Each structure stands twice: as C-alpha cells, then as structure tokens.
Amino acid sequence: MASTALNIIEGALRNLGVLTMGASASTEQQTEGVDLLNLMIDQFRNESLMCPWVVQESFALTSGDGEYSIGPGGDWNTIRPISLENSCFVRVSNVDYPITLINQAQYNSLPDKSVAGSFPQYLYYEPVFPLGVIKLWPLPGSGNTLYISSLKNLVTVAGVG
C-alpha cells in the first residue's frame, strides 16, 4: 500500500493516542500534520540528512539533440536528480539498449560530440544548479525513448492526498 501524507499523519496521531483506530483526522489536524511533515523534511535538508528515493522515468528524445536540461522548468520538467543509477537504457522500437554512464573526463575525451547514431551509447550527467544537464553520445536518431533511474531528494508535501 502506498503511503500518502494522510496515512502518515493519521498513523502518527494514532501512535500518540490522539486518534482511535478507524477514526479520521479533522481538517485542522490534517493541515497541521502537513505543515509539521514539511517542517521535518526541511530540517532533514538543513542537517544534511538526505532522504533520497530512486525513481525510474522515461523521456522522449529528439532526433539529433544530445543535450537536455533536467529539473523544474527544464527540458525534462521533473525533480532534479542528485545522481543517476547504472540502469539507464534507450528503447527503440520496443528493444532496450543499455547506456553506459560516463564521467566528465570521459565525455570530454569523445572526439566529435556531433556524431549521430541510431541511439545513444553513453550518458554524462552534470548535476549543476538549478537544472542538471544530461549529455548523450552519439546523438539519438528518431523514435528513441530514454529511461533513467535516478536518486532524488524528497520534496515538500502539497496536501494530504
């Protein structure tokens, strides 16, 4: 069962003896619970206690485009990754091809960054702020979908749902 903010809040209230089993939190308790949950997440960040989670996402690639910004408002509008996991791949016509993650020195050593191919074989992630940058080589062909698994920080909770 997936935990929602409401599950966490009502569970905490039951553990404290404020709610009985089967009882629901009032609107005021829910609102205060969300505020306290967000405060706890903010305190974890302030104390460098990262609360990371791994998520797999997919992104359509544009033929001939090998560089994408990733993060809120970027080319790929999602939570900015802390880092990428070694389980990235490209799907072309329902066939998956693994991608090798490389570091900056390896990316810099690629002789011609404008080489096009059927699908990318290498991926370099530059975790700069405010948006990260993903660089692919060779440049993707048409019909490519990139799947990445990334480590991300928890974000604040918008509501109890």
Side-chain angles (χ1 to χ4, degrees):
M1 174 175 127
S3 290
T4 64
L6 183 58
N7 296 137
I8 294 168
I9 292 163
E10 288 182 342
L13 291 172
R14 281 189 196 91
N15 283 336
L16 292 169
V18 175
L19 288 182
T20 59
M21 193 57 74
S24 298
S26 69
T27 302
E28 293 81 17
Q29 289 170 322
Q30 291 178 22
T31 301
E32 186 173 359
V34 167
D35 290 344
L36 291 171
L37 187 56
N38 285 329
L39 178 63
M40 183 179 70
I41 292 170
D42 286 342
Q43 287 176 338
F44 286 166
R45 277 195 216 109
N46 288 339
E47 295 181 18
S48 299
L49 299 172
M50 289 193 324
C51 294
W53 54 291
V54 176
V55 61
Q56 184 181 62
E57 298 172 287
S58 63
F59 303 99
L61 299 177
T62 302
S63 181
D65 188 359
E67 187 169 314
Y68 301 87
S69 61
I70 185 168
D75 296 326
W76 297 337
N77 189 17
T78 183
I79 299 167
R80 183 188 158 282
I82 299 167
S83 63
L84 300 185
E85 301 286 299
N86 266 332
S87 56
C88 301
F89 61 93
V90 172
R91 182 168 291 159
V92 182
S93 301
N94 294 322
V95 177
D96 296 342
Y97 299 94
I99 290 186
T100 302
L101 296 181
I102 59 175
N103 62 34
Q104 185 174 14
Q106 292 168 313
Y107 181 78
N108 290 343
S109 72
L110 295 171
D112 185 357
K113 310 292 190 293
S114 64
V115 170
S118 298
F119 55 87
Q121 298 173 21
Y122 298 102
L123 184 154
Y124 166 56
Y125 176 56
E126 191 174 4
V128 292
F129 287 99
L131 300 173
V133 178
I134 288 182
K135 298 179 181 184
L136 302 167
W137 188 90
L139 303 179
S142 62
N144 287 212
T145 302
L146 177 67
Y147 287 78
I148 61 171
S149 292
S150 61
L151 191 64
K152 298 185 178 195
N153 275 328
L154 287 177
V155 294
T156 56
V157 179
V160 295

